[in-house]
């Protein structure tokens, strides 16, 4: 089949997919742009709450912080603790989900006396934006229909990018300048087409990176494929011992957070700026993440620690990862462009904010193309009155 016959078919595919995905893509683009500088915005909003006066006394250990907070009968169950080595930084405490399944609330706490300073500003807003971005606020969140819709939409975006590039490919090498320069002096359909195609060409690499990384949050098979492609084969996991009869099972040991903290300090030393301790909802394994100074979210070490004894069960150090494993660890940094620093974040944020432009111009181009294809209406026959 010649290119003359292929391009009309690709245009039809491009148009139908674009119409079907226009609204969802616009929503995901805008919400992604809003979250582009979420950390920086949160830090600015919480500047007055997140800082305390440094004291000569040592900060409270996590076990003492949790004990003082849990002494309040109205407080929820502590689910995670984020501490900073900065002596003027507040401790971020996140609580477990309530019985209604709502999003956990969190508070900022004085590390020296466990005094609650307040609730982080904007946290609920960004949580809603994130749910809209990933699951369209549909029931079930990650287990509902929203995840399937956004996943299928991102797959459609990949097809839109490929078909758009083929349709846009210049016929002559000398036409590349006009191919990459928007014609802002046009109006109507010509302007819509120029904006849609030229700006889309410039942003195509950004959208492709967003789509190929975003799919790992929608489909387990895609995430497993990336892991198989980029990561070394993990060592076989030891088989868990069989459980006996319920009456012979040993009683679970109480959580010894002081032993966990001692193991964390032994493994991390003074190399890290922030440490997050996530307490188990079930079982006794505590998950710990440790970030070095001036690091992005994906550059971190992770540990699994037995909560009752403080025994180190597993350690994943970023410095020991292969290049492929580092890519997997920083998939979120790649997705939002922060792997390139704030200039990358800015470019990716602007690309997300411009997504509605392609939805609107794509719909306008489709409507105008349909109008041009309509056969002209026959003009009514002129009846002459005798004598005229």
């Amino acid at each position: 089949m010649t290119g003359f016959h292929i391009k009309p078919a690709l245009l039809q595919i491009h148009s139908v997919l674009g119409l079907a995905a226009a609204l969802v893509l616009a929503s995901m683009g805008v919400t992604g742009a809003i979250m582009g500088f979420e950390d920086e915005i949160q830090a600015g909003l919480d500047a007055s709450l997140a800082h305390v006066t440094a004291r000569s006394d040592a900060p409270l250990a996590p076990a003492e912080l949790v004990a003082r907070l849990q002494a309040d009968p109205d407080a929820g169950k502590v689910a995670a603790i984020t501490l900073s080595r900065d002596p003027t930084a507040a401790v971020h405490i996140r609580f477990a989900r309530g019985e209604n399944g709502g999003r956990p609330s969190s508070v900022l706490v004085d590390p020296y006396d466990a005094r609650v300073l307040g609730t982080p500003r904007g946290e609920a807003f960004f949580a809603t934006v994130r749910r809209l971005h990933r699951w369209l606020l549909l029931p079930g969140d990650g287990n509902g229909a929203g995840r399937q819709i956004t996943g299928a939409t991102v797959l459609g975006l990949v097809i839109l990018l490929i078909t758009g590039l083929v349709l846009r490919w210049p016929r002559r090498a000398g036409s590349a300048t006009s191919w990459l320069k928007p014609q802002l002096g046009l109006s109507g359909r010509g302007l819509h087409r120029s904006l849609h195609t030229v700006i889309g060409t410039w942003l195509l690499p950004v959208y492709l990176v967003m789509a190929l990384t975003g799919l790992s949050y929608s489909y387990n098979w895609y995430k497993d494929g990336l892991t198989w492609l980029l990561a070394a084969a993990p060592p076989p996991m030891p088989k868990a011992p069989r459980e006996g009869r319920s009456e012979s099972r040993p009683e679970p040991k109480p959580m010894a957070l002081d032993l966990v903290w001692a193991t964390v300090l032994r493994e991390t030393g003074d190399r890290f700026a922030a440490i997050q301790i996530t307490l188990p909802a079930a079982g006794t394994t505590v998950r710990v993440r440790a970030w070095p100074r001036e690091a992005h979210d994906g550059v971190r070490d992770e540990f699994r620690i037995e909560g009752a004894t403080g025994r180190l069960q597993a350690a994943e150090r970023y410095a020991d990862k292969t290049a492929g494993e580092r890519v997997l660890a920083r998939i979120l940094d790649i997705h939002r462009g922060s792997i390139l620093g704030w200039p990358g974040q800015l470019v990716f944020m602007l690309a997300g904010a411009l997504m509605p432009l392609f939805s609107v111009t794509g719909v306008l181009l489709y409507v105008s193309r349909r109008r041009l294809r309509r056969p002209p209406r026959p003009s009514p026959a002129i009846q002459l009155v005798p004598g005229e």
Side-chain angles (χ1 to χ4, degrees), residues 37-47 120-124 126-127:
F37 285 88
E38 176 183 355
D39 295 339
E40 291 79 1
I41 294 173
Q42 285 270 198
L45 291 175
D46 298 330
R121 300 184 180 97
E123 191 172 66
F126 280 109

Side-chain angles (χ1 to χ4, degrees), residues 66 70 77-81 94-97 252-257 260 276-288 303-309 313:
V66 172
Q70 302 287 221
K77 180 183 178 182
V78 174
I81 312 162
R94 181 166 56 85
F95 295 103
R97 293 178 183 272
K253 297 180 180 180
M255 185 71 63
L257 199 52
V260 172
Q276 182 186 74
I277 302 173
T278 302
L279 304 179
T284 59
T285 300
V286 178
R287 187 159 51 97
V288 177
F303 306 95
R304 300 291 186 274
I305 301 173
E306 170 59 44
T309 63
Q313 295 178 328

